[in-house]
Amino acid sequence: MTGDVGSMLPTEKSKQEGHIWGSMRRTAFILGSGLLLLVAFWNSVTWHLQRFWGASGYFWQAQWERLLSTFEGKEWILFIIGAAQVPGLLFWAFNGLLLVVDITGKPSFISRYRIQVGKNEPVDPVKLRQAIHTVLFNQYMISLPMVVFLYPFLKWLGDPCRQELPTFHWFLLELAIFTLMEEVLFYYSHRLLHHPTFYKKIHKKHHEWTAPIGVISLYAHPIEHVASNMLPVIVGPLVMGSHLSSITMWFSLALIITTISHCGYHLPFLPSPEFHDYHHLKFNQCYGVLGVLDHLHGTDTMFKQTKAYERHILLLGLTPLSESIPDSPKKRE
């Protein structure tokens, strides 16, 4: 009997190896084909955008030069407006709209897109006021001074208020680098904050909201706000010696994306917040932004076994994913 099993092992092993190599070839073919299509699509999109950028480039360059002449000798004020005030105004404009829904429940059709049904309907006003006070403190007592101190470093590396605006392709390259740097720095700083040494005294504050809302994205202990909210976003522009226009776009985009990740609604045509919403629900899963490092470190294995993972896609219709991909009856009970 042992001999029969031993004689079967090489055959089974060769079959398994053949299956693995076959899977690898199929995967390579699919990925290769997908990559070629992506490159073709990307080239087409960037060509059209480049034409638009080039056509409007003279207009924006003229507006930028007009701003420079207005703030001549006081470029640091222009930097603070572009790097702090503009992103801050966009943050509160977007969160203002979300807060109307969170507080009043209107328009009611948006509630259909709520991820954690029955939570924050309506939001606790006392808890919300406390959160807004903390967010304002973080923005004006921590973020603003950090932006002020950022200016001389950027000026030393390459004047952020230099006369020539960056090209469209250069901005795209910067955006890719900023995003990758944020993913690495946020993932590891965030995961470190979940260590028992730091969680109870620092990160637990942010996790008071197991069902987050948009404004909670900046609701954090001051140490966390510096280490995990600000530094991952600032390092990219520092390394690249970026122009103020790139910094304004990047900071604004980062604030809008983190708001969406915390908003609690899986809205049509916006990035999916399911990934980070699950992190607030379970605490020990989904630490990153893109999910790349979570995949590599296996910190999304539980998430991948849930309906939330199936819903973690861009919603291109008006039917809420909670209706088209509902939780199992057992979980709903």
Side-chain angles (χ1 to χ4, degrees), residues 33-61:
S33 302
L35 184 60
L36 286 172
L37 289 171
L38 179 62
V39 169
F41 173 75
W42 181 253
N43 284 339
S44 174
V45 170
T46 53
W47 182 79
H48 284 92
L49 287 174
Q50 179 68 13
R51 287 190 66 190
F52 167 76
W53 191 277
S56 60
Y58 294 112
F59 170 78
W60 293 116
Q61 183 66 45

PDB file of all heavy atoms in Angstrom, residues 33-61:
ATOM      1  N   SER A  33      -2.424  40.889 -22.135  1.00  0.00           N
ATOM      2  CA  SER A  33      -3.456  41.467 -23.005  1.00  0.00           C
ATOM      3  C   SER A  33      -4.085  42.697 -22.364  1.00  0.00           C
ATOM      4  O   SER A  33      -4.296  43.730 -23.013  1.00  0.00           O
ATOM      5  CB  SER A  33      -4.548  40.426 -23.295  1.00  0.00           C
ATOM      6  OG  SER A  33      -3.994  39.273 -23.891  1.00  0.00           O
ATOM      7  N   GLY A  34      -4.363  42.578 -21.061  1.00  0.00           N
ATOM      8  CA  GLY A  34      -4.954  43.705 -20.348  1.00  0.00           C
ATOM      9  C   GLY A  34      -4.029  44.903 -20.324  1.00  0.00           C
ATOM     10  O   GLY A  34      -4.466  46.046 -20.483  1.00  0.00           O
ATOM     11  N   LEU A  35      -2.726  44.633 -20.141  1.00  0.00           N
ATOM     12  CA  LEU A  35      -1.751  45.714 -20.106  1.00  0.00           C
ATOM     13  C   LEU A  35      -1.666  46.431 -21.449  1.00  0.00           C
ATOM     14  O   LEU A  35      -1.609  47.658 -21.501  1.00  0.00           O
ATOM     15  CB  LEU A  35      -0.372  45.155 -19.720  1.00  0.00           C
ATOM     16  CG  LEU A  35       0.755  46.174 -19.537  1.00  0.00           C
ATOM     17  CD1 LEU A  35       0.412  47.166 -18.424  1.00  0.00           C
ATOM     18  CD2 LEU A  35       2.069  45.479 -19.230  1.00  0.00           C
ATOM     19  N   LEU A  36      -1.679  45.653 -22.540  1.00  0.00           N
ATOM     20  CA  LEU A  36      -1.634  46.266 -23.871  1.00  0.00           C
ATOM     21  C   LEU A  36      -2.857  47.145 -24.116  1.00  0.00           C
ATOM     22  O   LEU A  36      -2.745  48.261 -24.643  1.00  0.00           O
ATOM     23  CB  LEU A  36      -1.550  45.170 -24.951  1.00  0.00           C
ATOM     24  CG  LEU A  36      -0.204  44.458 -25.087  1.00  0.00           C
ATOM     25  CD1 LEU A  36      -0.314  43.283 -26.053  1.00  0.00           C
ATOM     26  CD2 LEU A  36       0.876  45.428 -25.566  1.00  0.00           C
ATOM     27  N   LEU A  37      -4.029  46.636 -23.720  1.00  0.00           N
ATOM     28  CA  LEU A  37      -5.252  47.426 -23.883  1.00  0.00           C
ATOM     29  C   LEU A  37      -5.205  48.687 -23.021  1.00  0.00           C
ATOM     30  O   LEU A  37      -5.625  49.768 -23.453  1.00  0.00           O
ATOM     31  CB  LEU A  37      -6.473  46.579 -23.513  1.00  0.00           C
ATOM     32  CG  LEU A  37      -6.848  45.463 -24.494  1.00  0.00           C
ATOM     33  CD1 LEU A  37      -7.930  44.568 -23.892  1.00  0.00           C
ATOM     34  CD2 LEU A  37      -7.322  46.051 -25.816  1.00  0.00           C
ATOM     35  N   LEU A  38      -4.680  48.526 -21.787  1.00  0.00           N
ATOM     36  CA  LEU A  38      -4.585  49.670 -20.891  1.00  0.00           C
ATOM     37  C   LEU A  38      -3.657  50.739 -21.452  1.00  0.00           C
ATOM     38  O   LEU A  38      -3.973  51.925 -21.420  1.00  0.00           O
ATOM     39  CB  LEU A  38      -4.087  49.213 -19.513  1.00  0.00           C
ATOM     40  CG  LEU A  38      -3.918  50.304 -18.447  1.00  0.00           C
ATOM     41  CD1 LEU A  38      -5.259  50.964 -18.139  1.00  0.00           C
ATOM     42  CD2 LEU A  38      -3.309  49.737 -17.181  1.00  0.00           C
ATOM     43  N   VAL A  39      -2.507  50.303 -21.978  1.00  0.00           N
ATOM     44  CA  VAL A  39      -1.548  51.242 -22.553  1.00  0.00           C
ATOM     45  C   VAL A  39      -2.165  51.985 -23.737  1.00  0.00           C
ATOM     46  O   VAL A  39      -2.035  53.202 -23.870  1.00  0.00           O
ATOM     47  CB  VAL A  39      -0.256  50.517 -22.979  1.00  0.00           C
ATOM     48  CG1 VAL A  39       0.625  51.434 -23.828  1.00  0.00           C
ATOM     49  CG2 VAL A  39       0.510  50.051 -21.753  1.00  0.00           C
ATOM     50  N   ALA A  40      -2.872  51.228 -24.610  1.00  0.00           N
ATOM     51  CA  ALA A  40      -3.517  51.847 -25.771  1.00  0.00           C
ATOM     52  C   ALA A  40      -4.570  52.865 -25.330  1.00  0.00           C
ATOM     53  O   ALA A  40      -4.644  53.989 -25.836  1.00  0.00           O
ATOM     54  CB  ALA A  40      -4.156  50.776 -26.649  1.00  0.00           C
ATOM     55  N   PHE A  41      -5.385  52.465 -24.324  1.00  0.00           N
ATOM     56  CA  PHE A  41      -6.426  53.365 -23.810  1.00  0.00           C
ATOM     57  C   PHE A  41      -5.799  54.597 -23.159  1.00  0.00           C
ATOM     58  O   PHE A  41      -6.225  55.724 -23.391  1.00  0.00           O
ATOM     59  CB  PHE A  41      -7.299  52.612 -22.797  1.00  0.00           C
ATOM     60  CG  PHE A  41      -8.297  53.483 -22.082  1.00  0.00           C
ATOM     61  CD1 PHE A  41      -9.443  53.928 -22.721  1.00  0.00           C
ATOM     62  CD2 PHE A  41      -8.078  53.856 -20.763  1.00  0.00           C
ATOM     63  CE1 PHE A  41     -10.352  54.735 -22.066  1.00  0.00           C
ATOM     64  CE2 PHE A  41      -8.980  54.656 -20.101  1.00  0.00           C
ATOM     65  CZ  PHE A  41     -10.131  55.097 -20.747  1.00  0.00           C
ATOM     66  N   TRP A  42      -4.738  54.354 -22.366  1.00  0.00           N
ATOM     67  CA  TRP A  42      -4.081  55.446 -21.652  1.00  0.00           C
ATOM     68  C   TRP A  42      -3.462  56.443 -22.624  1.00  0.00           C
ATOM     69  O   TRP A  42      -3.573  57.657 -22.437  1.00  0.00           O
ATOM     70  CB  TRP A  42      -3.025  54.872 -20.718  1.00  0.00           C
ATOM     71  CG  TRP A  42      -2.293  55.913 -19.909  1.00  0.00           C
ATOM     72  CD1 TRP A  42      -1.017  56.336 -20.065  1.00  0.00           C
ATOM     73  CD2 TRP A  42      -2.833  56.662 -18.823  1.00  0.00           C
ATOM     74  NE1 TRP A  42      -0.713  57.306 -19.138  1.00  0.00           N
ATOM     75  CE2 TRP A  42      -1.816  57.530 -18.366  1.00  0.00           C
ATOM     76  CE3 TRP A  42      -4.081  56.702 -18.193  1.00  0.00           C
ATOM     77  CZ2 TRP A  42      -1.994  58.402 -17.315  1.00  0.00           C
ATOM     78  CZ3 TRP A  42      -4.266  57.579 -17.141  1.00  0.00           C
ATOM     79  CH2 TRP A  42      -3.229  58.406 -16.720  1.00  0.00           C
ATOM     80  N   ASN A  43      -2.816  55.917 -23.663  1.00  0.00           N
ATOM     81  CA  ASN A  43      -2.211  56.802 -24.658  1.00  0.00           C
ATOM     82  C   ASN A  43      -3.268  57.657 -25.349  1.00  0.00           C
ATOM     83  O   ASN A  43      -3.052  58.840 -25.618  1.00  0.00           O
ATOM     84  CB  ASN A  43      -1.440  55.991 -25.703  1.00  0.00           C
ATOM     85  CG  ASN A  43      -0.117  55.484 -25.151  1.00  0.00           C
ATOM     86  OD1 ASN A  43       0.395  56.025 -24.183  1.00  0.00           O
ATOM     87  ND2 ASN A  43       0.421  54.440 -25.749  1.00  0.00           N
ATOM     88  N   SER A  44      -4.418  57.051 -25.629  1.00  0.00           N
ATOM     89  CA  SER A  44      -5.497  57.782 -26.276  1.00  0.00           C
ATOM     90  C   SER A  44      -6.025  58.893 -25.371  1.00  0.00           C
ATOM     91  O   SER A  44      -6.197  60.038 -25.797  1.00  0.00           O
ATOM     92  CB  SER A  44      -6.642  56.826 -26.638  1.00  0.00           C
ATOM     93  OG  SER A  44      -7.744  57.533 -27.143  1.00  0.00           O
ATOM     94  N   VAL A  45      -6.253  58.538 -24.082  1.00  0.00           N
ATOM     95  CA  VAL A  45      -6.785  59.516 -23.129  1.00  0.00           C
ATOM     96  C   VAL A  45      -5.795  60.657 -22.917  1.00  0.00           C
ATOM     97  O   VAL A  45      -6.152  61.838 -22.965  1.00  0.00           O
ATOM     98  CB  VAL A  45      -7.122  58.825 -21.784  1.00  0.00           C
ATOM     99  CG1 VAL A  45      -7.432  59.870 -20.712  1.00  0.00           C
ATOM    100  CG2 VAL A  45      -8.304  57.888 -21.959  1.00  0.00           C
ATOM    101  N   THR A  46      -4.520  60.300 -22.662  1.00  0.00           N
ATOM    102  CA  THR A  46      -3.527  61.343 -22.391  1.00  0.00           C
ATOM    103  C   THR A  46      -3.308  62.227 -23.613  1.00  0.00           C
ATOM    104  O   THR A  46      -3.031  63.422 -23.470  1.00  0.00           O
ATOM    105  CB  THR A  46      -2.181  60.729 -21.955  1.00  0.00           C
ATOM    106  OG1 THR A  46      -1.756  59.761 -22.918  1.00  0.00           O
ATOM    107  CG2 THR A  46      -2.298  60.071 -20.600  1.00  0.00           C
ATOM    108  N   TRP A  47      -3.441  61.663 -24.826  1.00  0.00           N
ATOM    109  CA  TRP A  47      -3.283  62.478 -26.039  1.00  0.00           C
ATOM    110  C   TRP A  47      -4.351  63.557 -26.098  1.00  0.00           C
ATOM    111  O   TRP A  47      -4.064  64.724 -26.370  1.00  0.00           O
ATOM    112  CB  TRP A  47      -3.347  61.584 -27.279  1.00  0.00           C
ATOM    113  CG  TRP A  47      -3.136  62.343 -28.563  1.00  0.00           C
ATOM    114  CD1 TRP A  47      -1.952  62.764 -29.092  1.00  0.00           C
ATOM    115  CD2 TRP A  47      -4.160  62.779 -29.477  1.00  0.00           C
ATOM    116  NE1 TRP A  47      -2.163  63.429 -30.280  1.00  0.00           N
ATOM    117  CE2 TRP A  47      -3.506  63.451 -30.538  1.00  0.00           C
ATOM    118  CE3 TRP A  47      -5.546  62.657 -29.506  1.00  0.00           C
ATOM    119  CZ2 TRP A  47      -4.207  63.988 -31.613  1.00  0.00           C
ATOM    120  CZ3 TRP A  47      -6.238  63.200 -30.568  1.00  0.00           C
ATOM    121  CH2 TRP A  47      -5.577  63.865 -31.613  1.00  0.00           C
ATOM    122  N   HIS A  48      -5.612  63.148 -25.828  1.00  0.00           N
ATOM    123  CA  HIS A  48      -6.700  64.125 -25.859  1.00  0.00           C
ATOM    124  C   HIS A  48      -6.554  65.156 -24.748  1.00  0.00           C
ATOM    125  O   HIS A  48      -6.778  66.352 -24.962  1.00  0.00           O
ATOM    126  CB  HIS A  48      -8.058  63.412 -25.730  1.00  0.00           C
ATOM    127  CG  HIS A  48      -8.486  62.721 -26.990  1.00  0.00           C
ATOM    128  ND1 HIS A  48      -8.199  61.396 -27.247  1.00  0.00           N
ATOM    129  CD2 HIS A  48      -9.147  63.177 -28.080  1.00  0.00           C
ATOM    130  CE1 HIS A  48      -8.678  61.056 -28.426  1.00  0.00           C
ATOM    131  NE2 HIS A  48      -9.267  62.122 -28.957  1.00  0.00           N
ATOM    132  N   LEU A  49      -6.177  64.678 -23.537  1.00  0.00           N
ATOM    133  CA  LEU A  49      -6.000  65.606 -22.427  1.00  0.00           C
ATOM    134  C   LEU A  49      -4.834  66.549 -22.677  1.00  0.00           C
ATOM    135  O   LEU A  49      -4.893  67.728 -22.333  1.00  0.00           O
ATOM    136  CB  LEU A  49      -5.774  64.821 -21.121  1.00  0.00           C
ATOM    137  CG  LEU A  49      -7.003  64.127 -20.537  1.00  0.00           C
ATOM    138  CD1 LEU A  49      -6.611  63.276 -19.347  1.00  0.00           C
ATOM    139  CD2 LEU A  49      -8.073  65.132 -20.130  1.00  0.00           C
ATOM    140  N   GLN A  50      -3.772  66.010 -23.302  1.00  0.00           N
ATOM    141  CA  GLN A  50      -2.617  66.843 -23.603  1.00  0.00           C
ATOM    142  C   GLN A  50      -2.992  67.951 -24.596  1.00  0.00           C
ATOM    143  O   GLN A  50      -2.522  69.079 -24.487  1.00  0.00           O
ATOM    144  CB  GLN A  50      -1.483  65.976 -24.173  1.00  0.00           C
ATOM    145  CG  GLN A  50      -0.221  66.742 -24.539  1.00  0.00           C
ATOM    146  CD  GLN A  50       0.496  67.296 -23.313  1.00  0.00           C
ATOM    147  OE1 GLN A  50       0.184  66.912 -22.195  1.00  0.00           O
ATOM    148  NE2 GLN A  50       1.439  68.186 -23.530  1.00  0.00           N
ATOM    149  N   ARG A  51      -3.844  67.614 -25.563  1.00  0.00           N
ATOM    150  CA  ARG A  51      -4.297  68.623 -26.522  1.00  0.00           C
ATOM    151  C   ARG A  51      -5.075  69.726 -25.803  1.00  0.00           C
ATOM    152  O   ARG A  51      -4.880  70.907 -26.067  1.00  0.00           O
ATOM    153  CB  ARG A  51      -5.184  67.983 -27.594  1.00  0.00           C
ATOM    154  CG  ARG A  51      -4.415  67.138 -28.595  1.00  0.00           C
ATOM    155  CD  ARG A  51      -5.315  66.739 -29.744  1.00  0.00           C
ATOM    156  NE  ARG A  51      -5.737  67.894 -30.532  1.00  0.00           N
ATOM    157  CZ  ARG A  51      -6.672  67.859 -31.473  1.00  0.00           C
ATOM    158  NH1 ARG A  51      -7.289  66.722 -31.749  1.00  0.00           N
ATOM    159  NH2 ARG A  51      -7.004  68.948 -32.145  1.00  0.00           N
ATOM    160  N   PHE A  52      -5.959  69.288 -24.874  1.00  0.00           N
ATOM    161  CA  PHE A  52      -6.727  70.273 -24.104  1.00  0.00           C
ATOM    162  C   PHE A  52      -5.794  71.118 -23.248  1.00  0.00           C
ATOM    163  O   PHE A  52      -5.899  72.338 -23.200  1.00  0.00           O
ATOM    164  CB  PHE A  52      -7.753  69.569 -23.207  1.00  0.00           C
ATOM    165  CG  PHE A  52      -8.362  70.469 -22.163  1.00  0.00           C
ATOM    166  CD1 PHE A  52      -9.326  71.403 -22.500  1.00  0.00           C
ATOM    167  CD2 PHE A  52      -7.946  70.392 -20.836  1.00  0.00           C
ATOM    168  CE1 PHE A  52      -9.870  72.237 -21.543  1.00  0.00           C
ATOM    169  CE2 PHE A  52      -8.482  71.220 -19.879  1.00  0.00           C
ATOM    170  CZ  PHE A  52      -9.451  72.139 -20.228  1.00  0.00           C
ATOM    171  N   TRP A  53      -4.857  70.428 -22.557  1.00  0.00           N
ATOM    172  CA  TRP A  53      -3.912  71.122 -21.679  1.00  0.00           C
ATOM    173  C   TRP A  53      -3.067  72.127 -22.491  1.00  0.00           C
ATOM    174  O   TRP A  53      -2.836  73.242 -22.074  1.00  0.00           O
ATOM    175  CB  TRP A  53      -3.020  70.094 -20.996  1.00  0.00           C
ATOM    176  CG  TRP A  53      -2.172  70.642 -19.884  1.00  0.00           C
ATOM    177  CD1 TRP A  53      -0.979  71.283 -19.987  1.00  0.00           C
ATOM    178  CD2 TRP A  53      -2.447  70.557 -18.485  1.00  0.00           C
ATOM    179  NE1 TRP A  53      -0.502  71.614 -18.750  1.00  0.00           N
ATOM    180  CE2 TRP A  53      -1.370  71.188 -17.810  1.00  0.00           C
ATOM    181  CE3 TRP A  53      -3.490  70.020 -17.729  1.00  0.00           C
ATOM    182  CZ2 TRP A  53      -1.312  71.267 -16.423  1.00  0.00           C
ATOM    183  CZ3 TRP A  53      -3.429  70.105 -16.345  1.00  0.00           C
ATOM    184  CH2 TRP A  53      -2.359  70.720 -15.714  1.00  0.00           C
ATOM    185  N   GLY A  54      -2.618  71.646 -23.652  1.00  0.00           N
ATOM    186  CA  GLY A  54      -1.796  72.524 -24.489  1.00  0.00           C
ATOM    187  C   GLY A  54      -2.577  73.727 -24.975  1.00  0.00           C
ATOM    188  O   GLY A  54      -2.080  74.858 -24.986  1.00  0.00           O
ATOM    189  N   ALA A  55      -3.843  73.503 -25.345  1.00  0.00           N
ATOM    190  CA  ALA A  55      -4.671  74.602 -25.852  1.00  0.00           C
ATOM    191  C   ALA A  55      -4.971  75.621 -24.759  1.00  0.00           C
ATOM    192  O   ALA A  55      -5.026  76.820 -25.012  1.00  0.00           O
ATOM    193  CB  ALA A  55      -5.969  74.037 -26.422  1.00  0.00           C
ATOM    194  N   SER A  56      -5.153  75.100 -23.526  1.00  0.00           N
ATOM    195  CA  SER A  56      -5.490  76.012 -22.432  1.00  0.00           C
ATOM    196  C   SER A  56      -4.262  76.415 -21.638  1.00  0.00           C
ATOM    197  O   SER A  56      -4.363  77.214 -20.705  1.00  0.00           O
ATOM    198  CB  SER A  56      -6.504  75.344 -21.491  1.00  0.00           C
ATOM    199  OG  SER A  56      -5.951  74.160 -20.938  1.00  0.00           O
ATOM    200  N   GLY A  57      -3.099  75.826 -22.003  1.00  0.00           N
ATOM    201  CA  GLY A  57      -1.880  76.077 -21.237  1.00  0.00           C
ATOM    202  C   GLY A  57      -1.503  77.532 -21.177  1.00  0.00           C
ATOM    203  O   GLY A  57      -1.112  78.036 -20.123  1.00  0.00           O
ATOM    204  N   TYR A  58      -1.624  78.239 -22.304  1.00  0.00           N
ATOM    205  CA  TYR A  58      -1.286  79.664 -22.333  1.00  0.00           C
ATOM    206  C   TYR A  58      -2.199  80.450 -21.395  1.00  0.00           C
ATOM    207  O   TYR A  58      -1.764  81.393 -20.737  1.00  0.00           O
ATOM    208  CB  TYR A  58      -1.388  80.203 -23.760  1.00  0.00           C
ATOM    209  CG  TYR A  58      -0.370  79.607 -24.692  1.00  0.00           C
ATOM    210  CD1 TYR A  58      -0.756  78.762 -25.725  1.00  0.00           C
ATOM    211  CD2 TYR A  58       1.000  79.887 -24.541  1.00  0.00           C
ATOM    212  CE1 TYR A  58       0.175  78.204 -26.583  1.00  0.00           C
ATOM    213  CE2 TYR A  58       1.945  79.327 -25.386  1.00  0.00           C
ATOM    214  CZ  TYR A  58       1.532  78.486 -26.416  1.00  0.00           C
ATOM    215  OH  TYR A  58       2.455  77.926 -27.242  1.00  0.00           O
ATOM    216  N   PHE A  59      -3.459  80.063 -21.357  1.00  0.00           N
ATOM    217  CA  PHE A  59      -4.418  80.730 -20.473  1.00  0.00           C
ATOM    218  C   PHE A  59      -3.997  80.578 -19.011  1.00  0.00           C
ATOM    219  O   PHE A  59      -3.915  81.564 -18.263  1.00  0.00           O
ATOM    220  CB  PHE A  59      -5.824  80.157 -20.674  1.00  0.00           C
ATOM    221  CG  PHE A  59      -6.820  80.616 -19.647  1.00  0.00           C
ATOM    222  CD1 PHE A  59      -7.391  81.881 -19.730  1.00  0.00           C
ATOM    223  CD2 PHE A  59      -7.171  79.787 -18.591  1.00  0.00           C
ATOM    224  CE1 PHE A  59      -8.305  82.309 -18.774  1.00  0.00           C
ATOM    225  CE2 PHE A  59      -8.086  80.209 -17.634  1.00  0.00           C
ATOM    226  CZ  PHE A  59      -8.654  81.469 -17.731  1.00  0.00           C
ATOM    227  N   TRP A  60      -3.733  79.309 -18.581  1.00  0.00           N
ATOM    228  CA  TRP A  60      -3.380  79.065 -17.181  1.00  0.00           C
ATOM    229  C   TRP A  60      -2.032  79.690 -16.830  1.00  0.00           C
ATOM    230  O   TRP A  60      -1.851  80.198 -15.728  1.00  0.00           O
ATOM    231  CB  TRP A  60      -3.365  77.566 -16.888  1.00  0.00           C
ATOM    232  CG  TRP A  60      -4.722  76.954 -16.962  1.00  0.00           C
ATOM    233  CD1 TRP A  60      -5.170  76.014 -17.839  1.00  0.00           C
ATOM    234  CD2 TRP A  60      -5.839  77.260 -16.114  1.00  0.00           C
ATOM    235  NE1 TRP A  60      -6.487  75.710 -17.608  1.00  0.00           N
ATOM    236  CE2 TRP A  60      -6.926  76.455 -16.545  1.00  0.00           C
ATOM    237  CE3 TRP A  60      -6.027  78.117 -15.035  1.00  0.00           C
ATOM    238  CZ2 TRP A  60      -8.171  76.499 -15.947  1.00  0.00           C
ATOM    239  CZ3 TRP A  60      -7.280  78.158 -14.421  1.00  0.00           C
ATOM    240  CH2 TRP A  60      -8.331  77.361 -14.878  1.00  0.00           C
ATOM    241  N   GLN A  61      -1.090  79.642 -17.779  1.00  0.00           N
ATOM    242  CA  GLN A  61       0.216  80.261 -17.545  1.00  0.00           C
ATOM    243  C   GLN A  61       0.067  81.766 -17.317  1.00  0.00           C
ATOM    244  O   GLN A  61       0.691  82.351 -16.428  1.00  0.00           O
ATOM    245  CB  GLN A  61       1.156  79.990 -18.724  1.00  0.00           C
ATOM    246  CG  GLN A  61       2.568  80.530 -18.557  1.00  0.00           C
ATOM    247  CD  GLN A  61       3.336  79.848 -17.437  1.00  0.00           C
ATOM    248  OE1 GLN A  61       3.314  78.631 -17.314  1.00  0.00           O
ATOM    249  NE2 GLN A  61       4.021  80.632 -16.614  1.00  0.00           N
TER     250      GLN A  61
END
